[in-house]
Amino acid sequence: MYNRVGHGTGIGWGQGLVHPDLAESYLLSRHTGAEFFSPSPIALDVRGGPMVQYAYGLPVADNGFARNVNQFEAFRCENSMMFDGKKNMNFSERGLERRFQQFINNRTPEPGNSRTMRYENMVRVKEYIYFMAKDQYGCRYLQQKFEEGKHHVDVIFEGIINHIADLMINSFANYLVQKMLDVCDEEQRLRIIVVLTQDPLRLVAICLNMHGTRAVQKLIETVTTREQIVLITSALQPAFMELVNDPNGNHVIQKCLTNFGADENKFIYEAAAANCFDMAIHRHGCCVLQRCISSARGAYQAKLIVEICARGFELAQDPFGNYVVQYVLNLKIPSANAHLASQFEGGYIYLSKQKVSSNVVEKCLKIFPDDAKAVIVRELLNGSHFEQLLQDPYANYVIYTALLNTRGHLHNALVEAIRPHEDAIRTSPCCKRISRALSRR
């Protein structure tokens, strides 16, 4: 048992068990921030009174707080690096952070005691750079130092490299990391990537963070060598669907699609084809899937489109999947549109009466060739209750779009089918646009 007898504010005070190596050191209490330890079970307070004894950072039996040392067995640690459960930070770092905060918040009215001068002194100590990076003003100061030359870049880099993952998810420090990625050299960038990808779960966790995702996207923008790209994509690949469906992570995948080549993005195209339907019906996945289609070429793009068309009828009715179907229709690939038309044929009335799928039918009427449009219009006209479609809150939009996008005999047939119901559509709030289209003839 080692008892604390110091009352300073130095490293480790009140944080836990003092290691025997440290217990052999005696520091004078008049030294700023110092505390001293004694292996003796009886010691005097620096003020001359009885000492309050501590074990594992807590008062022991003589003070009435604990009667059994075994109560603290759970806090024992075999090595000298003790960690605080709240911050997962060792004693040394906790002490440095505390002294850093005391230093920058010092309001003593001494000449030249400005915040900038205090930062100027601290940046010379490697261990303080990490804490400066997490401070709002310290982060800005470090970014300004980048402009003063490569030497400052190297100094700051060495101060943050061992904490790079933590800094990337910090609300202030992530901007410093992004700036570092712009000014560091290739060797330093590779070191950052190696640190982040040693444990793939670490990089994925950063991608899922609202601050970390921006830093990772910046990393993707700045990588230049195939070695760097392979390290990143290999770490992202196992968590592809988790990233795709995450509001932050999906932007990382999209950044890969816009910045890497087809070979580097092969894992994305293959995973997207294998999970095409699940991506299409997801709020964020549908956006990634559209980006995959736009960036893919050749066989990769063809496979994605085939997978979408194969389940086009289901996707057309989905709140998110319908956007993917419309995106494919807009590509105006004849084989793809013919495949979708065959999926929809016989179900146009059903699709027209639904909120989201009615948009898909309207898109078909705008881009399909005349023969495919004729199939849609005839199916609407041959329905058993055409007058109900005219007054349907969603199908009326489909009929209005058909009026605008048909011509000749097909258009005339549609107008003649509407005429008998002209009196009803004048008074129906859903049919006003149809009535106006007829009056313009």
Side-chain angles (χ1 to χ4, degrees):
M1 184 69 66
Y2 296 91
N3 301 308
R4 294 173 181 254
V5 297
H7 292 271
T9 58
I11 299 171
W13 180 254
Q15 299 300 317
L17 177 64
V18 178
H19 191 271
D21 294 343
L22 299 178
E24 296 175 2
S25 301
Y26 291 85
L27 303 177
L28 297 179
S29 61
R30 66 175 180 271
H31 291 178
T32 302
E35 62 184 84
F36 56 95
F37 307 91
S38 170
S40 173
I42 300 176
L44 294 179
D45 190 287
V46 290
R47 295 167 294 185
M51 185 204 71
V52 179
Q53 299 186 39
Y54 287 82
Y56 300 90
L58 297 171
V60 294
D62 291 345
N63 296 291
F65 284 88
R67 301 296 178 185
N68 188 351
V69 176
N70 290 332
Q71 295 178 24
F72 306 106
E73 288 297 323
F75 295 91
R76 292 186 183 275
C77 182
E78 294 301 326
N79 59 40
S80 61
M81 195 68 73
M82 307 300 294
F83 287 85
D84 175 44
K86 292 183 179 179
K87 288 191 174 182
N88 195 30
M89 185 182 293
N90 64 57
F91 290 168
S92 178
E93 289 177 341
R94 287 291 297 274
L96 282 170
E97 182 181 36
R98 186 162 52 252
R99 296 188 64 169
F100 168 78
Q101 293 297 334
Q102 291 172 350
F103 194 45
I104 64 169
N105 294 324
N106 179 20
R107 301 185 182 278
T108 305
E110 299 175 1
N113 194 26
S114 67
R115 184 186 293 268
T116 301
M117 291 191 67
R118 292 197 291 272
Y119 284 139
E120 189 68 38
N121 291 329
M122 284 186 288
V123 77
R124 300 170 186 171
V125 182
K126 176 182 175 183
E127 288 75 13
Y128 278 145
I129 294 176
Y130 164 61
F131 300 107
M132 291 177 67
K134 297 198 296 181
D135 177 73
Q136 181 178 5
Y137 301 104
C139 177
R140 292 177 183 175
Y141 174 82
L142 291 175
Q143 291 180 65
Q144 293 170 359
K145 296 297 285 185
F146 286 152
E147 301 173 2
E148 298 181 14
K150 185 63 165 64
H151 167 71
H152 295 286
V153 174
D154 296 340
V155 170
I156 297 171
F157 177 85
E158 293 301 329
I160 69 174
I161 183 60
N162 293 329
H163 306 279
I164 196 72
D166 181 34
L167 296 178
M168 290 175 81
I169 62 175
N170 183 270
S171 57
F172 301 123
N174 79 89
Y175 295 107
L176 177 68
V177 176
Q178 292 182 58
K179 185 71 172 179
M180 172 65 76
L181 290 168
D182 277 330
V183 299
C184 68
D185 57 40
E186 291 302 318
E187 181 181 350
Q188 290 169 334
R189 187 176 293 109
L190 180 59
R191 281 183 64 189
I192 292 173
I193 295 171
V194 169
V195 169
L196 295 176
T197 57
Q198 282 177 342
D199 179 4
L201 295 179
R202 177 186 297 174
L203 181 61
V204 171
I206 297 171
C207 295
L208 301 179
N209 179 269
M210 63 180 297
H211 303 299
T213 183
R214 296 187 180 96
V216 176
Q217 289 175 63
K218 185 66 174 181
L219 177 63
I220 291 170
E221 288 178 2
T222 57
V223 294
T224 56
T225 67
R226 180 165 178 79
E227 179 186 9
Q228 296 171 358
I229 295 174
V230 169
L231 285 171
I232 293 173
T233 55
S234 298
L236 298 179
Q237 183 174 358
F240 175 78
M241 285 303 294
E242 183 180 4
L243 292 168
V244 163
N245 294 337
D246 184 81
N248 300 312
N250 79 88
H251 296 292
V252 173
I253 298 297
Q254 293 192 56
K255 185 63 70 172
C256 291
L257 289 168
T258 56
N259 287 270
F260 296 161
D263 290 339
E264 289 84 4
N265 287 326
K266 179 181 178 181
F267 82 98
I268 297 178
Y269 300 138
E270 292 178 346
N275 300 278
C276 194
F277 183 78
D278 292 333
M279 289 176 64
I281 62 175
H282 191 274
R283 177 184 300 273
H284 306 297
C286 70
C287 299
V288 178
L289 185 56
Q290 291 175 63
R291 183 63 64 87
C292 287
I293 296 169
S294 67
S295 64
R297 295 292 181 270
Y300 292 132
Q301 186 186 63
K303 184 166 180 59
L304 290 171
I305 292 174
V306 167
E307 292 293 331
I308 293 166
C309 293
R311 305 189 68 172
F313 191 80
E314 296 173 75
L315 292 175
Q317 302 170 66
D318 185 81
F320 306 113
N322 79 92
Y323 293 109
V324 178
V325 174
Q326 291 185 65
Y327 184 85
V328 172
L329 288 168
N330 274 328
L331 295 176
K332 297 180 180 179
I333 301 173
S335 59
N337 287 356
H339 193 172
L340 287 171
S342 66
Q343 286 273 314
F344 300 151
E345 190 170 350
Y348 283 116
I349 293 177
Y350 176 78
L351 295 175
S352 298
K353 295 171 71 173
Q354 295 187 58
K355 182 177 181 179
V356 297
S357 56
S358 63
N359 293 300
V360 176
V361 179
E362 287 186 70
K363 181 67 70 175
C364 292
L365 286 166
K366 292 175 182 177
I367 66 171
F368 275 3
D370 289 343
D371 57 338
K373 291 179 184 178
V375 173
I376 300 174
V377 173
R378 290 194 187 100
E379 190 171 322
L380 296 175
L381 294 176
N382 294 332
S384 57
H385 300 285
F386 181 69
E387 70 283 359
Q388 292 181 5
L389 293 179
L390 291 171
Q391 300 182 58
D392 185 86
Y394 305 118
N396 79 89
Y397 286 95
V398 174
I399 294 174
Y400 174 72
T401 302
L403 280 171
L404 298 180
N405 291 276
T406 54
R407 56 189 177 180
H409 296 297
L410 187 62
H411 181 80
N412 293 334
L414 185 58
V415 171
E416 292 303 317
I418 296 173
R419 289 289 184 195
H421 310 287
E422 198 165 1
D423 292 337
I425 65 177
R426 284 199 187 99
T427 58
S428 174
C430 294
C431 300
K432 290 182 179 179
R433 62 185 59 81
I434 296 176
S435 180
R436 286 196 298 268
L438 289 177
S439 63
R440 289 198 294 266
R441 284 179 55 83

